[in-house]
Amino acid sequence: MIVDLHNHTPLCNHAKGTLAEYIEAAITQETAYFGISDHAPMDFDPRYRMRFDQMQTYERHVKEAKEHYHDKIDILLGYEVDYLQGHMDSRVLKADVDYLIGSVHFLGLWGFDNPEFIDQYEKRDIDTVYRDYFASIQALANSGLFDVVGHLDLIKVFGYRSKTDVKLLAKDAIKAIKKADMVIELSAAGYRKPVKEAYPSDDLLTLIAEADIPITFASDAHHPKQVGFKTQELEDKAKSFGYHKCATFRSRTREMIKF
Ligand SMILES: [Zn+2]
Ligand SMILES: [Zn+2]
């Protein structure tokens, strides 16, 4: 795909391969804008992310790669940041990067996308889980801290669906995203998970397209082999919803690229 803004590195402790391997995979895919957005450090859940004292190294390595590959591909620097009340850190939020992806991976202390804690889906009321999740996405948008919303409907990752129409549950969050002038990523990561479909769902994409919210594309690769996986599907899907341009960023400023 032409733009792919969400990719990880081994610094987060749960991705494989080297930065060069990710970038070379993207070059093979003929990606024009390739964004590295590894999990930002946080004083919570430190196992699955880089440490604060690794930020400098991370940023330097990506900037060096940008130089090294500049005649083949445009490398962008970002972070994927957890929207989690009380745990967001100004060192990350003020980092000198091209963009920040805001993601919700926790409801309270529950890491709901971690297979270790999947039993909670049976213990809780599923509509309440969905309501809490989208309330958190709405707060993420209202915070004004981020450029892109990561995997908008990640809460479906294990295939647990709300009883209430998800469009009703997500509509206020989508309104807030529009008001905040943020971008929503079309992510291939869901194809690799039990839910076996893209984030967001076609139902939500209908609302997103109606609201004319800009989109971008995301492999969310945690292995070089995942770079560009199902990219053609994502671009075709976006076109079928009336999109012809997608977003990329330079120093927190959005640019729209035809795809
Ligand atoms: Zn990850
Ligand atoms: Zn994520």
Side-chain angles (χ1 to χ4, degrees):
M1 67 184 115
I2 185 151
V3 172
D4 183 357
L5 294 190
H6 188 156
N7 294 284
H8 293 278
T9 80
L11 273 180
C12 67
N13 307 314
H14 64 279
K16 298 263 184 306
T18 63
L19 180 58
E21 285 170 335
Y22 284 83
I23 293 169
E24 273 151 29
I27 292 168
T28 309
Q29 301 285 331
E30 298 182 359
T31 302
Y33 299 86
F34 189 63
I36 309 293
S37 53
D38 209 359
H39 294 282
M42 179 165 71
D43 66 356
F44 179 73
D45 190 48
R47 261 200 301 159
Y48 296 105
R49 57 197 67 252
M50 70 181 80
R51 300 186 309 265
F52 284 102
D53 66 10
Q54 291 175 312
M55 285 176 71
Q56 241 190 347
T57 310
Y58 167 70
E59 293 177 19
R60 196 184 65 237
H61 283 169
V62 175
K63 284 175 184 167
E64 282 169 4
K66 185 182 179 71
E67 270 308 303
H68 183 74
Y69 290 100
H70 78 277
D71 55 347
K72 294 197 177 103
I73 193 165
D74 207 332
I75 303 292
L76 303 169
L77 170 63
Y79 283 102
E80 181 181 16
V81 184
D82 278 78
Y83 181 78
L84 186 58
Q85 229 27 282
H87 296 282
M88 287 172 285
D89 193 289
S90 65
R91 284 170 283 181
V92 170
L93 299 173
K94 293 197 177 0
D96 179 19
V97 293
D98 292 308
Y99 60 95
L100 295 177
I101 299 174
S103 294
V104 174
H105 300 108
F106 296 93
L107 292 178
L109 302 181
W110 176 31
F112 62 82
D113 70 331
N114 186 335
E116 275 179 61
F117 311 120
I118 193 170
D119 60 317
Q120 286 293 317
Y121 283 93
E122 301 289 351
K123 291 182 181 157
R124 298 179 185 217
D125 172 60
I126 193 68
D127 279 10
T128 307
V129 166
Y130 268 70
R131 277 200 184 87
D132 290 351
Y133 174 79
F134 283 113
S136 191
I137 294 282
Q138 192 176 341
L140 179 164
N142 288 338
S143 77
L145 295 171
F146 309 104
D147 306 292
V148 180
V149 184
H151 37 62
L152 178 71
D153 54 355
L154 178 66
I155 195 66
K156 72 184 179 188
V157 57
F158 297 117
Y160 291 92
R161 303 285 186 171
S162 57
K163 292 185 211 105
T164 305
D165 183 354
V166 70
K167 289 205 284 231
L168 291 175
L169 299 175
K171 74 173 193 328
D172 289 345
I174 290 171
K175 261 190 215 160
I177 292 165
K178 172 71 182 175
K179 199 166 156 231
D181 194 25
M182 290 179 76
V183 169
I184 290 176
E185 64 172 23
L186 264 65
S187 166
Y191 290 120
R192 308 191 303 258
K193 300 291 172 150
V195 70
K196 290 272 183 287
E197 62 174 44
Y199 306 118
S201 65
D202 287 2
D203 272 356
L204 296 188
L205 256 179
T206 306
L207 297 184
I208 293 160
E210 274 170 17
D212 200 22
I213 294 170
I215 56 156
T216 190
F217 296 107
S219 285
D220 199 353
H222 287 72
H223 190 291
K225 274 191 200 144
Q226 295 170 344
V227 172
F229 175 65
K230 295 265 191 193
T231 55
Q232 197 55 51
E233 275 93 329
L234 288 185
E235 285 194 358
D236 291 350
K237 185 192 279 292
K239 281 185 183 147
S240 77
F241 280 86
Y243 284 99
H244 299 282
K245 286 183 171 179
C246 64
T248 179
F249 295 87
R250 214 173 290 279
S251 302
R252 308 290 307 267
T253 302
R254 185 161 85 211
E255 296 169 25
M256 297 306 290
I257 308 290
K258 214 172 154 359
F259 65 89

